[in-house]
C-alpha cells in the first residue's frame, strides 16, 4: 500500500537537524563511473529514491554497485556496458540524461527515450545536450519515442549555451573529458555542484579549468582512473530547513553539516525579512524572530535565489507581514502548488504562470494533500507543520526522491509527523 505522512501541525520545533549529501551532486557523479575501468568510491551518498534509480541504472548498464554502509558506495565495471538506457529508469529521473555522454564517449553509441523527472516545466527539453553532442561530432537521430546517438570518436568543440543549463553544463563538461582535443564551454551554469564534479573528474585525471565560472575549458585525455568522491552538502536541503525554522518561528533550530556560503541569496533575503539567524562555518542557527516581513523574490541561476527554494519561500511568505511577489523565472509549472496552499488558507493570487502574489500573514489549516513534485512536496510539508490541525500527505514518493528519512529528522526537532 502507498505510504503517507500524517502531520499534526503547530508543534514547537527546536533542536539540531543534519543535512545530507546533495542529490544534484550525487546524480551527476554516478554516470562518471562509466568512464573508467577502475573502481569509484562515493561517500556521503543520500539514501533517496533518485539515487536508488541512478544505482539501478548503473547495474542495468553492466556495473556492480556495492553498498558499503554509512552512505558509502563502491562502483566498478563488471560486464560490457550496455548501450540502451532502460526506459523504465529514464522515465523516473531527468538526470538519467547524464549517462548519455559517458556512453557515447566510451562505447560510441547511446539509445534512450526522453528523460522524465518532476513535471515542473512544459517539456523540459534536452536540445542543448543534443546540440552539444552534435558539435562534438556525434550523429543524432531523433526517433519516434527515443534518441539514437553514434560517434566513432568525439572531438573537442566550442559550445556556447543559448540558455544557462545546470545538467547541460555538467553533461558536456564530463563528456568533453574523453573527447579528442580542447573544448570551450561558454555561458555555463555556476552551481556549486559543477566545480565539485570538476574537482572529482580532475582527480581522476581530467583537465578541466574554470568550473564554477561561466567559461569552462577542458583538454581531452585518453583515459580516466578511479577515485574517491565526497558528495558536498545539499544546499537546497539546508536552505529548506532554514526556511522551515523561520516559518515555524517557535524555537532555536541548528542546521548542521552544511555549507552556508552556498546560500548567499537566501541570507540576503532573510536580512530583509527580518529573520534572526547566525551562520557558522558548517552550520546555520535560526532563532525566533520578532516579526517576519514580506519581501519579493525572483528566482535566478546560481548565485541568485534558487528555483528549488521558491516553493518553501512561498510558504514562509504566507506567514509574513505584507505582500510579496514571487517571480519564478526558470520553470512555468512551479507555481501551480499555490492552489493547494490557497486551499489550506493562504491568500495567493496567481498573476500568470511565472508570478504569484502572496498576501500575509494568514492562518493555514490541515487538509488531505497529494504531492505533485519534489519541491512543491517539501513546501506543502512545511505548510502542514505550521498549519492548524491534521494534514494527510499522499504520493510521498515524490518527496522521498530528494529527502532522506524526512519524517525521522523532523520528529527529532519536535514535529508530530508519522509515515504510515
Ligand atoms: N533547458 C532547455 N534545453 C535543455 C536543457 C534545459 O531549454 O537542453 C531549459 C529547462 O527547460 C529550464 C532551463 O533550461 O527551463 C534550466 O534548466 P536546467 O537545465 O538548468 O535544469 P536541470 O539541469 O534539468 C537542475 C536541477 C533542478 C534545478 C535546475 C535549476 C538536477 C538534477 N536538477 O535541473 O533541480 O531546478 O537545475 O537550478 O541537477 C530539483 O532538485 O528539484 C530540481 C528540479
Amino acid at each position: 500500500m502507498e505510504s503517507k505522512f500524517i502531520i499534526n501541525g503547530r508543534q514547537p520545533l527546536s533542536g539540531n537537524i543534519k543535512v545530507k549529501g546533495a542529490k544534484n551532486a550525487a546524480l551527476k557523479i554516478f554516470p562518471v563511473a562509466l568512464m573508467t575501468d577502475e573502481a569509484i568510491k562515493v561517500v556521503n551518498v543520500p539514501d533517496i529514491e533518485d539515487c536508488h534509480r541512478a544505482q539501478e541504472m548503473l547495474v542495468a548498464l553492466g556495473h556492480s554497485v556495492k553498498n558499503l554502509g554509512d552512505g558509502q558506495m563502491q562502483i566498478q565495471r563488471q560486464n560490457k556496458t550496455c548501450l540502451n538506457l532502460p526506459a523504465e529508469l529514464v522515465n523516473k529521473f531527468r538526470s538519467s540524461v547524464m549517462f548519455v555522454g559517458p556512453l557515447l564517449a566510451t562505447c560510441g553509441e547511446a539509445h534512450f527515450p526522453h528523460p522524465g523527472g518532476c513535471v515542473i516545466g512544459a517539456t523540459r527539453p534536452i536540445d542543448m545536450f543534443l546540440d552539444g553532442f552534435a558539435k562534438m561530432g556525434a550523429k543524432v537521430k531523433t526517433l519516434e519515442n527515443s534518441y539514437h546517438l553514434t560517434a566513432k570518436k568525439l572531438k573537442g568543440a566550442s559550445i556556447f549555451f543559448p540558455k544557462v543549463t545546470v545538467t547541460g553544463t555538467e553533461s558536456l563538461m564530463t563528456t568533453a573529458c574523453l573527447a579528442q582535443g580542447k573544448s570551450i564551454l561558454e555561458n555555463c551554469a555556476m552551481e556549486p555542484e559543477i566545480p565539485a564534479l570538476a574537482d572529482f573528474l580532475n582527480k581522476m585525471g581530467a583537465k578541466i579549468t574554470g568550473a564554477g565560472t561561466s567559461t569552462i575549458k577542458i583538454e581531452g585525455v585518453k583515459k580516466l582512473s578511479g577515485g574517491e568522491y565526497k558528495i558536498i552538502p545539499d544546499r537546497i536541503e539546508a536552505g529548506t530547513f532554514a526556511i522551515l525554522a523561520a516559518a515555524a518561528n517557535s524555537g532555536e533550530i541548528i542546521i548542521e553539516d552544511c555549507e552556508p556560503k552556498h546560500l548567499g541569496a537566501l541570507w540576503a533575503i532573510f536580512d530583509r525579512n527580518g529573520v534572526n539567524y547566525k551562520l557558522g562555518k558548517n552550520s546555520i542557527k535560526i532563532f525566533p524572530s520578532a516579526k517576519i516581513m514580506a519581501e519579493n523574490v525572483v528566482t535566478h541561476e546560481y548565485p541568485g535565489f534558487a528555483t528549488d527554494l521558491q516553493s518553501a519561500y512561498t510558504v514562509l511568505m504566507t506567514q509574513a507581514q505584507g505582500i510579496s511577489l514571487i517571480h519564478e523565472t526558470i520553470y512555468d509549472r512551479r507555481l501551480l502548488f499555490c492552489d493547494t496552499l490557497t486551499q489550506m488558507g493562504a491568500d495567493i493570487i496567481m498573476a500568470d504562470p511565472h508570478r504569484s502574489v502572496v498576501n500575509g500573514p494568514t492562518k493555514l489549516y490541515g487538509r488531505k494533500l497529494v504531492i505533485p513534485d519534489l519541491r512543491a512536496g517539501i513546501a506543502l510539508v512545511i505548510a502542514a507543520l505550521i498549519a492548524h490541525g491534521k494534514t494527510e500527505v499522499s504520493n510521498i514518493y515524490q518527496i522521498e526522491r530528494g529527502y532522506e528519512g524526512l519524517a525521522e529528522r523532523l520528529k527529532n526537532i519536535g514535529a508530530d509527523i508519522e509515515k504510515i
Side-chain angles (χ1 to χ4, degrees), residues 23-24 28 94 125-128 165-167 308 330 375:
K23 166 178 87 77
N24 290 345
K28 317 307 169 50
R94 177 166 164 90
I126 58 163
D127 54 316
M128 290 191 275
T165 162
V166 176
T167 310
D308 295 344
I330 314 280
R375 303 303 174 188

Side-chain angles (χ1 to χ4, degrees), residues 30-105:
F30 290 127
V32 167
L34 301 186
M35 297 171 83
T36 173
D37 292 331
E38 295 179 22
I40 283 188
K41 188 171 165 195
V42 195
V43 177
N44 202 25
V45 179
D47 189 6
I48 54 175
E49 294 297 338
D50 272 13
C51 281
H52 299 166
R53 299 298 87 76
Q55 289 151 24
E56 285 161 18
M57 181 73 86
L58 279 168
V59 172
L61 294 175
H63 284 59
S64 72
V65 180
K66 230 191 260 166
N67 188 342
L68 307 175
D70 205 20
Q72 304 194 27
M73 302 272 161
Q74 176 141 320
I75 308 162
Q76 175 135 40
R77 187 191 309 284
Q78 222 175 18
N79 302 314
K80 189 177 171 330
T81 303
C82 166
L83 306 173
N84 292 307
L85 298 185
E88 65 275 16
L89 290 174
V90 175
N91 287 337
K92 291 216 168 93
F93 65 115
R94 177 166 164 90
S95 46
S96 54
V97 71
M98 279 298 293
F99 287 89
V100 173
L103 274 187
L104 201 54

